[in-house]
Amino acid sequence: MKVTGLIAEYNPFHTGHLFHIETSRQLSHADFILVIMSGDFVQRGTPALLDKYTRAEMALLCGADAVIELPVCFSCASAESFAYGAVSLFDQLGVTNFLSFGSECGNLSLLQSAAEFLIKESSDFQKKIRHNLKHGISYPAARANAFLESYTSYFGDISPQEIVSLLSKPNNILGLEYLKALKNIQSNILPLTFPRQEAGYHDKQLYPTFASATALRNTLLSYNLEAIQSYIPKAAFSVLEREYQRSFPILADDFSLPLYYKIRSDIEKGISLSSYQDISPELEARIFNKQNRFTSFESFALLLKTKQYTLTRINRCLLHILLDIKKTAFCPPLYARLLGFRKSSSALLTAMKKNSSIPIITKTADVKYLPHSSLFEQDLFAADLYRKTQEFKFHTTLADEFTHPIIILP
């Protein structure tokens, strides 16, 4: 039995994701496609446009065989932690043969060489990063500059443009982190990559065949479902139509009031904001100094943004405050939350239950004890906050984490 793993957000699921599933299956000759997907909050530091159950259903309708939730402490973390959490989860499930991802360069050999270089990260390389940071630029830019300064001795004849692209293109960056994680945990999972098609990760344009999730989200926010219909697989589009203005769209600004309350409450209680993941003392001071100018989640993030702190990092930091995600030494996920599967893929579930070194959760109410149970409680809190926001916004009632069934398709 061959199993290929994909790491995704599906926010929303579109034809590019369908291409990813189908191409991965072809390249690896996989019997099953196993997806690890972000829950209700995603890596760019925002709530997902659609809830995790809706996105899992879309994925299963379009070729995924099973969908596992990535715990929230990883799903809204930096690229390195996001990748580590997902790759570790695949490794512990004990059934995954391949990890397939799209990248802008499509060159696995080059990506692996760059990943190995980054794993070593010599003291000289770190010194160059610190030097660049002193000039007030963001960490990704500082690392890219240091990388470029070192490329001649390590990469030989590869052009500077190719090297810069490796650390500036978002799918390349994630791919590098996946490869680093595979190497660091000494996993036997084999990586596969292929070039990303047509639309770039942050591209806001709707191309003839594919569109980025960014472009589709922007179009959806103009309340125009028809404009994106050709970019969403038919089965997935029917789910969008069913849930539109019933459970989505959910936006960052829908969490403005609880975020403001949490910031003010922590400050009043003397809780240091720098105790939250990714928040430095400098950023804590900036949040404190600008708290009275808070009007919404998105506008406050823009207000905090500087050359050193990217908007994505600011968004993640604000989410960490909102969801109470504190600084801690990351350990691998010690449970796997099953969101859905296909009945025709029951052999995959049987294999996971047999080979997994961690418990597989299919029903929240049955969970009695978990190692590091605080991480699971964090997931439950995040899901409950998201669900209540849906209910308040759309005046509806939705199943909670204890009553919502996993998605089961034929």
Side-chain angles (χ1 to χ4, degrees), residues 42 92 106 119 130 132 161 163 191 225 227 230 250 259 265 268 288 335 359 374 381 386:
V42 297
Q92 292 177 105
I119 287 172
R130 289 193 294 270
N132 289 324
Q161 290 77 14
I163 298 301
L225 273 182
S230 63
I250 293 295
L259 174 62
S265 176
E268 289 296 323
F288 181 87
Y335 54 89
S374 59
F381 173 77
Y386 188 97

Side-chain angles (χ1 to χ4, degrees), residues 92-119:
Q92 292 177 105
L93 286 170
V95 297
T96 313
N97 305 104
F98 301 96
L99 172 62
S100 177
F101 59 92
S103 59
E104 286 84 3
C105 76
N107 186 331
L108 183 60
S109 177
L110 177 58
L111 287 167
Q112 286 179 315
S113 295
E116 288 173 6
F117 174 80
L118 290 172
I119 287 172

Side-chain angles (χ1 to χ4, degrees), residues 53 337 362-366 380 384 387 391 397-407:
Y53 294 106
R337 180 87 181 281
T362 57
K363 189 176 180 182
T364 303
D366 290 342
L380 296 180
D384 188 59
R387 176 182 61 87
E391 291 182 339
T397 301
L398 301 169
D400 64 22
E401 291 297 279
F402 290 90
T403 58
H404 200 300
I406 62 175
I407 307 297

